[in-house]
Amino acid sequence: MSSSTLPGSTVEVDASVSSVASQHQRHSSEEPLLPPQQQDSIRTSTPQLKAWSLAVIIFYAVSGGPFGIEPTIRAGGNFAAIMGFALFPFVFSIPEAFVTAELGSAFHCPSGGVAWVEEAFGESMGFLCGWLSWIAGATDNAIYPTLFLEYLGSVMGYKDDVDNEDYLNGWARFGCVLGITVVLSLLNYRGLDIVGNTSLLVCVVAISPFAFMMVSGTPKIVPSRWLQMPERNATYDELFDDAFETSSGPLSYISLGGILWRPYINNLFWNLNSFDSSASFATETDCVKKTYTRGIFLALIMVIICYIAPLLVLVGATDYTQSEWVDGHIGAAAIDIGGSWLGAWTVFAAGISSLAQFEAEMSSDAFMLMGMAERGYLPEVFKHRSKYGTPTAGIVVGTAVIISFGWADFGQLLELLNANYALSLLLEYAAFVKLRHSKRESKSCYVLFHKFLLKKHILNAFSLYFIFSVHRPYRIPISDRAAFMVVLPPTLGIFLFFLVSNWYVYWFCGVSVLGGFFVVKIGKDAHFFRHSPAKNFDENTHGRDAL
């Protein structure tokens, strides 16, 4: 519309703004206020997740229990491990959870962080954020069926110890990975309510051995063991024998205070992040202001407690040396604390926990692809839901990626995947700070009045208020000027992570970023992307459950 006067308006507005307003008026009769291409995914779905179901899914997307904390103990000793899991949640977990609660409730759409970054920095950076996050998530998800086989082999006696040696090789191993992947993908296809309820059951089973461990192990705790410092003169080659883990980088061999900082930071980052994946489920809750935010903070509490409490018992009730905490050593520690039955139960719990992590990761990745399709980044087939309300194409693509990597050993790829995810987090944190300044808070009463005007087909300059504002159902209680303080700790932690990484990480990140920009360029040149700038405003928080 070229005229500077809007239909039904009493105020003349600038022509550059009227184009956005006219685009918005086009959907004024729709409820909720979403672009046409998103109406299908909203109308064919109903909220499926309650607070506890969402909390358990987030818990497994982030943690899944204390399984995998051994490298932190091996890199720094008992005291450093306890301090790491007590203090680093304030560096990584808590800021990420708060940012996700605010922006996820403001931009309640399946694309999650993609929407935040796009709103702040444009479509190219939005796609790059989704690209990096999906590469890290989908590829990493391929490790869980293999981990399940390893744990299952330990319980059934196929292996003498809980080490990393395969008891299945070749076609037999690939066939087992294929079968597990297909079954879990079908379960994911059947709906988030099933995934949430199944994860809740798995959570009870997976955490229960640690409850018994704390009961039987607490009388055996020797507090002085908590203060065990790093072994003197311990080197990377002595504690970590993998060629990738010991490869060189700018400061990859740094060992201040006796702590081997590269595996120490890498393992803490791996165990304490991924709260942003919960943003993909905001539309699957009945209320983003209550259910969604409550689920995030319940998961945050679960993650912190399920690391600290078992860790205090594991290192306080046993007298293992730092070098003995190899991968999977929790099973051996459980045997010492409660007997062979508790060790077998712990290893079995680790196995089924890996399956729940698979489900949580696949769900968040599939919903993010659906959200990216709704924003015009991917073909329309990705935005359609099944009759169960799940994104079919995203699940199929994720399943194909996992099966294609069924032959691979992912032990060496964890740091590379961490690096890709860290880059996407930096984009999300930068978007949070910028949106706090460029998109100020819109009041709830204004949102209600705005919806009334749209229903009456009255559009005036008052509506333009919403183009430059965002209604945040949940808002971190901190001023806009101090918003950078929220993301400063995780940003510094990520820079430390990269500082101690090896050269392979830098090469991998460079190739991933360049590959993302290449895909964006090809997509634009081939008109593959059908992105609409007005989509960001329409998709914001003036929908069905924002208030």
Side-chain angles (χ1 to χ4, degrees):
M1 183 180 294
S2 59
S3 172
S4 61
T5 303
L6 297 175
S9 173
T10 60
V11 181
E12 291 189 354
V13 294
D14 182 84
S16 62
V17 181
S18 68
S19 62
V20 180
S22 63
Q23 185 70 252
H24 183 60
Q25 187 187 28
R26 206 175 306 155
H27 307 302
S28 61
S29 62
E30 300 290 341
E31 187 71 30
L33 303 178
L34 293 172
Q37 58 266 41
Q38 286 187 246
Q39 297 297 326
D40 177 70
S41 65
I42 294 297
R43 288 172 179 161
T44 59
S45 66
T46 56
Q48 304 178 63
L49 292 177
K50 301 301 181 183
W52 274 109
S53 296
L54 177 62
V56 172
I57 291 178
I58 300 172
F59 172 73
Y60 276 108
V62 176
S63 167
F67 311 109
I69 63 175
E70 297 93 339
T72 301
I73 306 174
R74 191 160 77 251
N78 294 353
F79 182 74
I82 294 172
M83 288 296 99
F85 283 103
L87 299 178
F88 272 84
F90 293 92
V91 176
F92 292 130
S93 305
I94 295 176
E96 185 183 7
F98 273 90
V99 169
T100 303
E102 177 173 314
L103 293 182
S105 65
F107 296 85
H108 51 292
C109 54
S111 57
V114 176
W116 320 338
V117 176
E118 179 191 320
E119 183 75 17
F121 303 113
E123 58 188 82
S124 295
M125 298 305 292
F127 176 83
L128 181 63
C129 177
W131 167 265
L132 293 172
S133 181
W134 186 79
I135 288 178
T139 310
D140 167 58
N141 209 18
I143 196 174
Y144 295 122
T146 300
L147 284 178
F148 175 75
L149 292 178
E150 297 295 322
Y151 291 129
L152 184 63
S154 296
V155 173
M156 298 181 66
Y158 287 108
K159 301 194 301 178
D160 294 329
D161 199 358
V162 285
D163 53 28
N164 292 321
E165 295 181 4
D166 292 333
Y167 67 95
L168 286 176
N169 294 289
W171 285 105
R173 177 176 180 271
F174 179 79
C176 289
V177 170
L178 174 64
I180 293 172
T181 301
V182 171
V183 170
L184 294 179
S185 299
L186 289 174
L187 182 63
N188 209 288
Y189 170 79
R190 286 299 304 271
L192 271 182
D193 55 340
I194 294 180
V195 173
N197 293 334
T198 303
S199 298
L200 185 60
L201 176 62
V202 170
C203 183
V204 173
V205 175
I207 299 302
S208 56
F210 294 99
F212 281 91
M213 186 185 300
M214 285 185 282
V215 171
S216 59
T218 299
K220 302 178 182 179
I221 291 178
V222 179
S224 61
R225 293 171 179 165
W226 293 340
L227 305 178
Q228 182 187 79
M229 304 305 290
E231 296 176 358
R232 292 182 177 273
N233 302 320
T235 64
Y236 277 83
D237 292 334
E238 293 174 352
L239 297 177
F240 296 89
D241 57 1
D242 186 87
F244 180 86
E245 292 177 328
T246 58
S247 56
S248 62
L251 292 174
S252 58
Y253 295 121
I254 188 171
S255 178
L256 296 178
I259 300 174
L260 305 182
W261 284 92
R262 178 178 160 196
Y264 181 79
I265 291 293
N266 191 66
N267 189 251
L268 287 172
F269 181 87
W270 176 261
N271 280 293
L272 296 173
N273 277 294
S274 289
F275 282 93
D276 63 329
S277 63
S278 62
S280 297
F281 305 125
T283 56
E284 306 307 309
T285 60
D286 55 359
C287 179
V288 293
K289 186 175 183 178
K290 296 180 179 180
T291 306
Y292 170 68
T293 54
R294 188 178 296 141
I296 291 178
F297 294 129
L298 283 173
L300 177 63
I301 295 171
M302 290 170 62
V303 167
I304 295 175
I305 292 178
C306 288
Y307 279 131
I308 288 295
L311 177 60
L312 290 173
V313 176
L314 284 167
V315 300
T318 61
D319 59 354
Y320 292 108
T321 63
Q322 177 180 340
S323 59
E324 290 179 297
W325 284 96
V326 296
D327 296 340
H329 192 66
I330 284 181
I335 293 174
D336 283 354
I337 293 173
S340 58
W341 68 272
L342 184 58
W345 190 2
T346 302
V347 176
F348 174 74
I352 62 172
S353 179
S354 68
L355 300 185
Q357 289 176 290
F358 177 101
E359 296 285 28
E361 185 70 59
M362 172 166 280
S363 295
S364 63
D365 290 341
F367 273 92
M368 187 182 69
L369 290 181
M370 185 183 73
M372 292 178 69
E374 290 173 348
R375 305 183 78 83
Y377 290 125
L378 296 174
E380 290 190 0
V381 66
F382 282 92
K383 75 182 182 70
H384 296 305
R385 295 175 183 254
S386 69
K387 62 182 179 180
Y388 304 107
T390 49
T392 307
I395 293 176
V396 171
V397 170
T399 302
V401 170
I402 295 168
I403 293 174
S404 66
F405 284 103
W407 301 96
D409 177 11
F410 284 86
Q412 299 177 350
L413 293 179
L414 297 183
E415 189 172 348
L416 299 179
L417 301 174
N418 268 355
N420 258 11
Y421 178 67
L423 291 177
S424 69
L425 276 183
L426 288 178
L427 289 173
E428 292 174 3
Y429 291 147
F432 167 76
V433 175
K434 183 175 181 181
L435 290 174
R436 270 298 189 101
H437 291 81
S438 63
K439 297 282 187 179
R440 298 300 177 93
E441 177 69 14
S442 61
K443 304 301 182 182
S444 298
C445 59
Y446 293 166
V447 175
L448 289 172
F449 185 48
H450 179 247
K451 293 174 71 175
F452 170 78
L453 291 176
L454 290 175
K455 287 181 178 179
K456 299 299 183 181
H457 299 281
I458 302 172
L459 184 63
N460 56 27
F462 175 81
S463 297
L464 302 180
Y465 166 79
F466 294 98
I467 299 176
F468 307 106
S469 66
V470 167
H471 175 54
R472 297 169 171 87
Y474 172 81
R475 177 184 171 89
I476 302 174
I478 191 172
S479 67
D480 294 338
R481 292 185 177 181
F484 76 95
M485 295 296 295
V486 176
V487 300
L488 183 61
T491 300
L492 294 177
I494 290 173
F495 280 131
L496 177 60
F497 165 81
F498 279 109
L499 191 64
V500 299
S501 296
N502 62 24
W503 295 115
Y504 293 107
V505 169
Y506 292 96
W507 282 105
F508 186 74
C509 289
V511 171
S512 297
V513 171
L514 292 176
F517 283 120
F518 177 76
V519 172
V520 169
K521 186 179 186 309
I522 295 297
K524 288 182 177 180
D525 292 345
H527 303 288
F528 183 68
F529 294 163
R530 295 177 175 86
H531 185 270
S532 172
K535 191 179 304 182
N536 294 341
F537 172 55
D538 289 338
E539 190 180 350
N540 211 332
T541 63
H542 315 297
R544 58 184 171 92
D545 54 2
L547 296 179

